[in-house]
Amino acid sequence: MRFYRPTWAEIDLESLAHNYKQIKKLLKPKTKVMVTIKADAYGHGLIPVAKKLLRCKVDYFGVASIDEGIRLRKENIKVPILILGLILKKDIGPLFRYNLTPTVCDQDLALCLNRKAARLRKPIKVHIKIDTGMGRIGILSTNSENIVKKINSLEFIRIEGIFTHLAAADVNRKLTLQQLGVFNNLVLQLNKSGIEITLIHAANSIAVLNFKKSHFNLVRPGLVIYGLYPKKNLKIKLKSVLNLKTRIIYVKRVPAGYGISYGHDYVTRRGTNIVTLPIGYGDGYPRNLSNCAPILIRGKRFKISGRICMDQLMVDVGNTPVKIGEEAVLIGVQRGNKISAEELAELAKTIPYEIVCGLGGRIPRVYL
Ligand SMILES: *Cc1c(COP(=O)(O)O)cnc(C)c1O
């Protein structure tokens, strides 16, 4: 890929495969894996990530929308795809055309799918979402048994899966076990009524690592596959997949007392070299990292100086004799020194998910 602004994200697909294998090792051999590749595979690039995971023999993909599912199908990707988000009744056409599996949370959508499927004489697979304590989409667990039974009785609906989502598996063990208990009971009740559902799933990344009970027979990791940690001090060894890099586009000597960037939030204390890097909040690099985030240049940590602009930011490198064209690393490793998305997330008062998903389309992804 050709690009002329020297700012790019390197995506290491071998690390992605490594992480997938590490996660597989935590599972029983029969447990299936649905990798969540919504939001452009967490900013890593939907199609290259999907194709690499296919080579790892992934069982299922989870996406947020029909649109993401269609992008996969247009690349001739044939594994099952679950739309984790909800869809409007008027938009069910493409589910049939592209063989996408919808999430269903009420009878209304189920009836509508059933009618369309009947007309096409082609049953449709669905997964039912149960709300066991997330308060997002999903049938409230207290009402769910009856509703699932009714949906199951529809002639052209095949309930392939039933799932729930954990609200606090990173911090609240009690709530998590309670959610899993409610979900498990529902599945048992349904079994007793003769409704055996093939795929039962609940586990996001942190639950895959910390709650074996949540695995059922399919897990839905996202973050850990990209080598990012949902929490500190986890034992598993992951390799981060995304590295954000740029090159020094300008450097100049400025005197002491010189204000840098909008508002002069940073003022030089002595004569120093100020570097300009061609990346800014217009690329999704968070503006609230102004005056605080680390940058690696020549393997050394420097700090962003002054406010981050839309397309550029500045770094005071002291007397380091840097040259135009030298590489600077915003996320990743340089000469053994590392800046992680987790570290940036903490500084920006957010989560690593938002750091990587936020990186804009203006940053070319280069695949290794
Ligand atoms: C995004 C998502 C996941 C994956 O979460 P991670 O924390 O990235 O592992 C799993 N399930 C659902 C329903 C999701 O929306």
Side-chain angles (χ1 to χ4, degrees):
M1 191 205 315
R2 194 121 192 216
F3 53 91
Y4 299 101
R5 188 173 72 142
T7 297
W8 70 102
E10 281 172 14
I11 309 295
D12 185 343
L13 294 173
E14 290 314 313
S15 295
L16 186 89
H18 165 90
N19 299 332
Y20 183 84
K21 281 179 207 130
Q22 293 303 106
I23 294 302
K24 271 298 258 190
K25 280 188 202 160
L26 303 176
L27 309 175
K28 292 202 199 102
K30 283 204 172 145
T31 306
K32 293 191 167 165
V33 184
M34 171 190 296
V35 176
T36 36
I37 52 175
K38 61 199 180 189
D40 209 23
Y42 292 37
H44 293 64
L46 181 67
I47 302 303
V49 164
K51 288 189 170 166
K52 186 67 187 183
L53 291 168
L54 286 179
R55 269 173 258 135
C56 299
K57 305 208 164 25
V58 66
D59 301 291
Y60 225 117
F61 285 129
V63 296
S65 64
I66 290 180
D67 311 84
E68 291 176 336
I70 292 176
R71 277 182 63 200
L72 291 168
R73 288 291 184 244
K74 286 199 165 155
E75 291 288 327
N76 212 16
I77 288 168
K78 300 226 161 70
V79 297
I81 298 172
L82 177 63
I83 314 292
L84 294 162
L86 267 183
I87 58 178
L88 295 174
K89 284 190 278 183
K90 70 177 179 64
D91 294 329
I92 62 170
L95 298 173
F96 294 88
R97 224 170 307 136
Y98 292 98
N99 186 25
L100 303 170
T101 308
T103 292
V104 170
C105 303
D106 60 55
Q107 268 172 281
D108 223 27
L109 181 61
L111 281 167
C112 181
L113 289 165
N114 188 56
R115 266 195 305 275
K116 175 100 180 169
R119 224 176 299 133
L120 297 169
R121 309 240 128 248
K122 186 177 158 194
I124 182 162
K125 286 182 193 158
V126 305
H127 286 217
I128 303 226
K129 178 90 182 261
I130 307 297
D131 180 9
T132 57
M134 176 73 184
R136 200 166 66 180
I137 59 170
I139 307 171
L140 208 57
S141 52
T142 42
N143 307 338
S144 51
E145 201 185 325
N146 269 329
I147 298 177
V148 176
K149 282 180 186 163
K150 283 183 183 148
I151 294 173
N152 190 57
S153 70
L154 297 171
E155 195 186 346
F156 284 88
I157 299 282
R158 303 280 179 271
I159 302 179
E160 178 194 52
I162 186 162
F163 70 116
T164 192
H165 196 57
L166 302 168
D170 50 345
V171 288
N172 193 335
R173 200 166 177 86
K174 190 168 159 234
L175 172 64
T176 304
L177 292 174
Q178 190 187 317
Q179 282 194 266
L180 292 171
V182 167
F183 183 60
N184 201 35
N185 280 340
L186 171 66
V187 173
L188 292 178
Q189 276 315 114
L190 290 169
N191 283 352
K192 270 192 203 151
S193 320
I195 302 177
E196 291 264 0
I197 299 176
T198 314
L199 298 173
I200 299 167
H201 49 113
N204 59 358
S205 289
I206 184 68
V208 171
L209 303 183
N210 281 356
F211 292 90
K212 280 248 149 46
K213 263 192 185 163
S214 72
H215 292 190
F216 297 98
N217 58 16
L218 180 131
V219 296
R220 305 190 301 268
L223 197 72
V224 287
I225 302 296
Y226 308 102
L228 299 171
Y229 289 86
K231 190 177 167 172
K232 281 186 183 164
N233 303 320
L234 292 165
K235 282 204 198 81
I236 190 163
K237 283 270 172 287
L238 303 170
K239 294 184 181 173
S240 60
V241 173
L242 183 145
N243 300 280
L244 182 60
K245 299 183 173 179
T246 185
R247 290 186 187 281
I248 295 173
I249 206 79
Y250 194 65
V251 55
K252 71 177 159 225
R253 189 80 187 167
V254 304
Y258 200 81
I260 303 295
S261 197
Y262 294 116
H264 285 188
D265 284 356
Y266 183 83
V267 179
T268 59
R269 286 216 231 116
R270 55 188 80 80
T272 190
N273 296 332
I274 296 289
V275 154
T276 301
L277 300 177
I279 180 168
Y281 65 79
D283 299 294
Y285 189 81
R287 184 170 171 277
N288 66 353
L289 291 176
S290 292
N291 254 323
C292 81
I295 299 278
L296 293 170
I297 296 171
R298 296 196 170 186
K300 232 182 105 190
R301 270 177 178 249
F302 294 97
K303 217 162 85 172
I304 293 177
S305 307
R307 290 186 200 161
I308 294 166
C309 310
M310 189 183 293
D311 318 302
Q312 304 175 71
L313 59 82
M314 277 68 83
V315 183
D316 183 342
V317 296
N319 290 324
T320 315
V322 298
K323 302 233 157 39
I324 288 176
E326 280 186 46
E327 189 178 280
V329 171
L330 299 103
I331 299 173
V333 179
Q334 195 186 46
R335 300 191 199 170
N337 239 322
K338 180 171 180 178
I339 297 170
S340 66
E342 290 90 331
E343 179 183 0
L344 294 188
E346 209 168 305
L347 290 170
K349 299 190 173 56
T350 182
I351 49 176
Y353 300 76
E354 194 182 0
I355 297 291
V356 288
C357 287
L359 297 177
R362 197 164 68 165
I363 298 177
R365 269 60 168 182
V366 176
Y367 294 90
L368 305 179

